[in-house]
């Protein structure tokens, strides 16, 4: 199938799938449609016409080991051999829970879910049940899934910022009853004065503070360590549940996740994506006292036909086996040094080709903030809200023509990334192609 055939495919698909796709975020705003793929292989996505694209999307950040990973394939085969059983419990859920308890600092008990959205929904209900309170506090530019309790201020327009002030809560979807917004406070990230004021006014009503400890959904924004420690103290002092949504940051910087990276331990952690290398699985993990609130031990409802499905559970065990192997994160060929190799290469290219772009990465996920000062680290969503998304689209299109895939979201800032299948040779090949794409861009 050729590229023209891909256009023909989407034309036909639009008749039976809204917008021709299976989820809004599949659309690549740089291409004006989704990418049509046939298969994946290590660091490559392969199109139906056989073209191989070096992949910097990694399945929304879920494929940390690369496509068609042998261990994950064997796990799926084992699940098939077991008859895809998922009503009764098997021994593997306990085995995986124990592994996670050993790796993730905040995990004393674990419950499995199927998606990040389901995990954030269940965790918020659990926090409300635990505290007997209603309000949750989230941060501008942080994304926690696609439901009524969290879908606010994930990608607002640029606004003028007054330090110390909270942000007006604004829903990101039509169809959300306004009453839900009454339960949501929105704070600017890394602004301790704003958070302290919110707790002064609403502290006794705040059931949970939920955050992306590394705000990858706005690219790759780090928390100040002092700020994060202060958030930990304030939530503890006020009896609010601190939830780290590590659906995207989990296993990115190490097997102890972002909480290990910062040395700050939340009450509840949510994992998804990379935990099972692209096989649907999410995790709610946390302090025993809080987790004991989950039914049937406690009163907070959570269950599902596919909860703890063995596809995800076995795939996660295989993924953790791989991630725990020596040298995956550290050492000369580990993810952290590959990240540095890639980002410094990109910086050199942009400087040499006179393209203004801030390259900001934490571990193997990163942002390309075109139009922003390359030497200034943005700290909060409003620092990057005015980035030049048109140039990002043109850049991604030029890279696509050179066989490098960057996914560009329509309205959200988005994020890029790679995984352990991208070795030095792959990274260097990518840099060559990106450089050629930048030349094309200038001639465009
Ligand atoms: C931080 C974070 N939380 C929650 C979600 C929702 O996860 P899912 O898409 O699996 O529902 C995402 C998805 O991108 C995410 O990045």
């Amino acid at each position: 199938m050729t590229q023209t055939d891909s256009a023909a495919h989407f034309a036909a698909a639009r008749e039976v799938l809204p917008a021709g796709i299976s989820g809004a975020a599949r659309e690549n705003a740089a291409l004006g449609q989704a990418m049509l793929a046939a298969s994946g292989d290590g660091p490559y996505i392969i199109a139906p016409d056989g073209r191989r694209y070096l992949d910097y999307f990694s399945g929304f950040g879920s494929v940390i080991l690369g496509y068609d990973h042998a261990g994950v394939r064997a796990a799926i085969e084992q699940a098939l051999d077991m008859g895809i059983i998922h009503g009764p419990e098997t021994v593997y859920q306990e085995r995986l829970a124990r592994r996670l308890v050993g790796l993730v600092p905040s995990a004393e008990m674990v419950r499995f879910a199927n998606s990040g959205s389901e995990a954030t929904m269940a965790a918020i209900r659990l926090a409300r049940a635990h505290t007997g309170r209603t309000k949750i506090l989230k941060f501008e530019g942080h994304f926690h899934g696609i439901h009524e309790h969290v879908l606010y201020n994930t990608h607002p327009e640029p606004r003028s910022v007054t330090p110390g002030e909270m942000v007006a809560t604004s829903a990101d979807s039509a169809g959300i009853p306004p009453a839900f917004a009454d339960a949501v406070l929105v704070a600017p990230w890394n602004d301790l004065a704003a958070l302290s004021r919110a707790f002064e006014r609403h502290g006794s009503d705040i059931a949970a503070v939920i955050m992306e400890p590394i705000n990858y959904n706005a690219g790759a924004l780090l928390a100040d360590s002092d700020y994060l420690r202060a958030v930990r103290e304030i939530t503890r002092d006020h009896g609010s549940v601190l939830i780290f949504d590590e659906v995207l940051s989990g296993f990115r910087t190490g097997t102890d996740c972002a909480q290990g990276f910062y040395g700050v331990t939340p009450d509840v952690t949510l994992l998804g994506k990379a935990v099972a290398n692209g096989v649907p699985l999410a995790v709610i993990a946390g302090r025993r006292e809080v987790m004991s609130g989950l039914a049937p031990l406690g009163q907070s409802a959570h269950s599902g036909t596919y909860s703890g499905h063995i596809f995800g559970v076995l795939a996660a065990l295989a993924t953790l086996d791989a991630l725990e192997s020596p040298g995956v994160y550290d050492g000369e060929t580990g993810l952290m040094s590959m990240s540095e190799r890639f980002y410094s290469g990109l910086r050199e290219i942009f400087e040499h080709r006179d393209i203004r772009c801030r390259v900001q990465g934490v571990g193997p996920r990163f942002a390309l903030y075109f139009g922003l000062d390359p030497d200034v680290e943005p700290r909060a969503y409003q620092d990057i809200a005015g980035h030049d998304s048109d140039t990002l689209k043109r850049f991604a299109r030029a890279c696509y023509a050179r066989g490098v895939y960057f996914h560009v979201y329509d309205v959200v800032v988005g994020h890029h990334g790679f995984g352990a299948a991208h070795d030095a040779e792959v990274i260097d090949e990518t840099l060559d192609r990106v450089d050629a794409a930048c030349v094309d861009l200038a001639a465009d």
Side-chain angles (χ1 to χ4, degrees):
M1 202 184 245
T2 63
Q3 277 308 111
T4 329
D5 292 326
S6 124
H9 163 82
F10 285 113
R14 277 185 202 101
E15 290 171 20
V16 287
L17 297 167
I21 48 179
S22 303
R26 273 165 205 253
E27 185 118 320
N28 186 331
L31 307 181
Q33 61 181 35
M35 179 186 186
L36 189 64
S39 59
D41 176 21
Y44 293 96
I45 300 178
I46 301 157
D49 63 5
R51 270 198 89 182
R52 293 166 74 82
Y53 291 83
L54 286 158
D55 176 35
Y56 288 84
F57 181 35
S58 53
F60 297 92
S62 64
V63 184
I64 193 158
L65 299 172
Y67 299 105
D68 199 21
H69 182 267
V72 176
R73 171 186 274 270
I76 297 292
E77 282 167 359
Q78 183 186 346
L80 290 174
D81 290 344
M82 287 170 64
I84 321 182
I85 187 171
H86 66 279
E89 201 72 2
T90 71
V91 296
Y92 296 106
Q93 287 83 1
E94 188 256 2
R95 221 170 267 183
L96 177 57
R98 227 168 253 290
R99 288 283 288 278
L100 292 166
V101 166
L103 292 174
V104 182
S106 63
E108 292 176 0
M109 293 184 104
V110 171
R111 173 63 66 84
F112 298 112
N114 296 287
S115 70
S117 291
E118 182 196 336
T120 58
M121 187 180 66
I124 284 168
R125 181 186 293 144
L126 176 63
R128 286 175 170 154
H130 180 74
T131 57
R133 303 171 183 173
T134 301
K135 284 194 194 301
I136 64 151
L137 187 147
K138 74 174 293 285
F139 296 91
E140 186 176 36
H142 292 217
F143 177 70
H144 304 293
I146 201 95
H147 57 80
E148 273 66 4
H149 303 283
V150 288
L151 200 50
Y152 302 93
N153 303 68
T154 57
H155 52 272
E157 294 289 310
R159 62 175 177 84
S160 61
V161 174
T162 311
E165 280 194 0
M166 293 290 282
V167 184
T169 305
S170 168
D172 291 327
S173 171
I176 298 182
F180 280 93
D182 296 343
V184 180
L185 300 164
V186 181
W189 183 232
N190 274 327
D191 182 339
L192 186 54
L195 189 82
S196 303
R197 277 173 66 185
F199 266 91
E200 274 161 29
R201 289 185 58 191
H202 303 284
S204 57
D205 295 331
I206 297 176
V209 170
I210 185 167
M211 67 163 79
E212 290 183 66
I214 301 169
N215 184 196
Y216 282 120
N217 276 288
L221 303 178
L222 281 165
D224 292 326
S225 298
D226 288 350
Y227 174 75
L228 208 54
R229 276 194 290 275
V231 177
R232 177 61 284 188
E233 261 173 47
I234 291 175
T235 47
R236 192 178 285 127
D237 290 350
H238 285 82
S240 305
V241 176
L242 179 59
I243 303 173
F244 276 10
D245 177 354
E246 297 228 40
V247 166
L248 201 39
S249 60
F251 305 103
R252 214 56 69 180
T253 47
T255 51
D256 53 0
C257 306
Q259 54 203 267
F261 175 81
Y262 289 112
V264 174
T265 305
D267 299 303
V268 172
T269 298
L270 309 172
L271 302 166
K273 298 199 191 253
V275 70
N277 201 49
V279 181
L281 181 79
V283 175
I284 306 154
R287 280 203 294 124
R288 184 174 303 279
E289 185 203 347
V290 181
M291 293 296 289
S292 300
L294 283 172
L297 192 54
Q299 300 296 313
S300 182
H302 173 261
S303 195
T305 302
Y306 302 119
S307 307
H309 196 290
I310 57 164
F311 272 136
V313 168
L314 291 173
L317 282 165
T319 302
L320 295 183
D321 283 346
L323 291 178
E324 284 193 273
S325 319
V328 169
Y329 293 97
D330 302 320
E332 228 174 277
T333 55
L335 281 167
M336 298 313 256
S337 81
M338 284 304 110
S339 306
E340 237 357 273
R341 186 185 191 101
F342 189 43
Y343 306 146
S344 55
L346 286 173
R347 284 182 196 116
E348 269 173 38
I349 291 170
F350 290 138
E351 195 180 340
H352 182 221
R353 300 292 172 199
D354 207 16
I355 295 171
R356 189 176 158 87
C357 182
R358 166 81 191 175
V359 179
Q360 181 149 322
V362 188
R365 284 208 90 70
F366 61 98
L368 299 174
Y369 301 119
F370 286 94
L372 298 195
D373 188 333
D375 300 321
V376 176
E377 181 181 351
R379 310 298 297 175
Y381 180 84
Q382 285 302 328
D383 295 342
I384 53 94
H387 80 118
D388 177 356
S389 59
D390 286 339
T391 301
L392 173 62
K393 283 178 205 153
R394 289 176 54 235
F395 169 79
R397 246 188 328 269
C399 287
Y400 191 73
R402 293 276 177 182
V404 180
Y405 185 76
F406 288 101
H407 194 79
V408 182
Y409 294 83
D410 192 14
V411 281
V412 299
V413 176
H415 44 91
H416 317 287
F418 59 93
H422 291 63
D423 58 17
E425 209 178 307
V426 168
I427 296 286
D428 292 349
E429 170 69 26
T430 308
L431 290 169
D432 285 347
R433 293 191 196 189
V434 167
D435 190 40
C438 287
V439 175
D440 300 343
L441 199 61
D444 189 12

